[in-house]
Amino acid sequence: MVLYSHEIGKGFTSLQTFSSVLGISGISQRAFKDHDNKITDCEVESGEDMLYRTANAIRQAYAETDDDIREAIERGENPLIDISVSYDGTWQKRGFTSLYGVGVCINLLTGLVVDFDIRSKYCHACHIQKAESMNATDLAVWKEQHDCCTNHHKSSKSMEQDSAVILWNRSVAKYNFRYVEMLSDGDSSAFKAVLESKPYADKAVTKLDCINHAHKCMGTALRKLAKESHLGGRGIGRLTEKKCDSLQNFYRGAIIDNIPDVSKMRNAVWAGLYHSMSTDTEHHHRQCPLGENSWCWYQQAVSLGQDPDSAGAH
């Protein structure tokens, strides 16, 4: 019964209510707490064991791509390995008022979770003790013996960056990994915090940007512009939903097709914008890629010696 309560996030009072509804005798609060603590200890131990098994799997994956790592492992050594990870944070609820937050590192090569860190601004045991109105002396004695769950005393928003700093700074000691590349969303606060903490004295950490996130942000920005500037609606010259989708996809394609040349990316983005502005009477395709394999229907037609179709047909 305690296990079921633990799994669904319910406490002693809820279990007592459930037991009374079924007409069965409950257990004491002390017994409930003892069982709950044992379950928690087992879960933590199991989780740590899984993470170390995952680390070994990641180590083997890198050994298959690097002979030096493979040879070191065959000699029984635990080589220092530089790996790339994606990092993101999540909260119990939205709005940066959550009492709990989690930061997670996922290895890009294998897709396995390397490590995670939980931030908490709340401890139920402390809450109960304060509610019982203990005097200051007794409360101080109790706190010395208490393993408090609260490990974060700043804003909820800062949980993500604090978790990142913790994960990066313990990666070598815990796994002998260095997270040298961080793939994350556009928010650079976590990356900046990691850089400032200098987790690897002789090795810099670089940031990788997620194309999907950039694609999503462009769509959000276009729809916000259409709404706030009253450019949306239907008809020629309006920033319609279809036009937003088109520009958003042009933006994504411009990035993917021109990695890692930033200058070409920029030109391709402008080409997509001008292409979308074209009408039957005004063509703006000079920046579009040339040739019959071009994504631009106008340049395709020109390269084949054909009369370009009207813009309205595309």
Side-chain angles (χ1 to χ4, degrees):
M1 296 289 284
V2 177
L3 175 61
Y4 297 144
S5 298
H6 182 92
E7 291 296 324
I8 63 175
K10 297 298 183 180
F12 173 74
T13 303
S14 297
L15 180 58
Q16 290 293 88
T17 302
F18 181 70
S19 298
S20 64
V21 170
L22 295 180
I24 60 177
S25 59
I27 62 175
S28 67
Q29 188 169 5
R30 179 179 292 276
F32 177 89
K33 184 177 180 181
D34 289 342
H35 286 303
D36 192 59
N37 288 339
K38 289 178 181 178
I39 293 171
T40 300
D41 291 341
C42 289
E43 289 179 337
V44 171
E45 183 179 349
S46 176
E48 287 297 322
D49 178 64
M50 178 60 70
L51 286 176
Y52 278 105
R53 288 162 58 190
T54 298
N56 287 331
I58 294 172
R59 195 172 286 108
Q60 291 298 327
Y62 277 88
E64 294 177 2
T65 63
D66 190 306
D67 290 338
D68 292 337
I69 296 175
R70 177 179 55 79
E71 292 172 1
I73 292 176
E74 290 175 351
R75 292 194 300 268
E77 300 175 3
N78 182 22
L80 179 64
I81 303 176
D82 293 340
I83 69 173
S84 301
V85 299
S86 66
Y87 175 78
D88 203 2
T90 185
W91 291 263
Q92 182 190 25
K93 61 180 180 179
R94 302 177 67 179
F96 298 125
T97 59
S98 177
L99 297 176
Y100 306 99
V102 182
V104 183
C105 282
I106 301 175
N107 176 236
L108 295 183
L109 179 63
T110 62
L112 298 174
V113 173
V114 189
D115 202 0
F116 66 89
D117 176 67
I118 301 173
R119 300 283 91 195
S120 173
K121 298 175 66 175
Y122 176 78
C123 177
H124 188 61
C126 291
H127 177 74
I128 292 175
Q129 292 300 327
K130 290 179 181 178
E132 292 180 353
S133 302
M134 295 178 65
N135 61 58
T137 303
D138 291 342
L139 185 60
V141 173
W142 177 82
K143 283 188 174 182
E144 289 181 0
Q145 303 172 346
H146 169 57
D147 185 13
C148 188
C149 295
T150 301
N151 58 10
H152 190 82
H153 302 280
K154 296 186 289 185
S155 68
S156 298
K157 185 177 181 180
S158 66
M159 288 179 175
E160 183 177 18
Q161 60 196 57
D162 282 9
S163 286
V165 171
I166 290 170
L167 293 173
W168 257 258
N169 279 274
R170 75 184 185 193
S171 66
V172 174
K174 192 171 184 179
Y175 303 120
N176 217 23
F177 289 161
R178 291 190 300 191
Y179 309 150
V180 295
E181 290 183 326
M182 176 197 286
L183 173 64
S184 60
D185 54 28
D187 180 13
S188 61
S189 60
F191 176 66
K192 183 179 179 181
V194 168
L195 286 185
E196 291 175 349
S197 71
K198 298 180 180 179
Y200 318 123
D202 59 339
K203 189 71 174 181
V205 179
T206 57
K207 185 175 184 294
L208 305 177
D209 287 311
C210 177
I211 295 174
N212 288 334
H213 184 77
H215 173 253
K216 176 184 175 182
C217 288
M218 173 56 75
T220 301
L222 287 170
R223 289 168 178 82
K224 182 179 179 181
L225 176 65
K227 181 178 180 180
E228 294 183 352
S229 301
H230 306 289
L231 298 175
R234 298 183 178 181
I236 297 175
R238 308 300 296 177
L239 191 55
T240 62
E241 185 68 24
K242 183 178 180 180
K243 185 65 69 175
C244 287
D245 288 339
S246 177
L247 289 170
Q248 189 177 1
N249 291 331
F250 273 129
Y251 182 70
R252 176 187 173 88
I255 296 174
I256 293 176
D257 294 342
N258 296 285
I259 293 174
D261 194 320
V262 177
S263 179
K264 288 184 178 179
M265 286 184 196
R266 185 185 300 110
N267 292 337
V269 170
W270 281 110
L273 177 61
Y274 281 115
H275 176 90
S276 299
M277 292 168 55
S278 297
T279 65
D280 292 348
T281 57
E282 293 186 31
H283 294 298
H284 301 282
H285 303 285
R286 286 182 297 177
Q287 290 184 290
C288 295
L290 306 177
E292 59 184 59
N293 294 322
S294 172
W295 50 258
C296 173
W297 56 268
Y298 184 92
Q299 293 294 355
Q300 284 183 7
V302 170
S303 66
L304 295 172
Q306 301 172 353
D307 290 331
D309 296 331
S310 67
H314 295 270

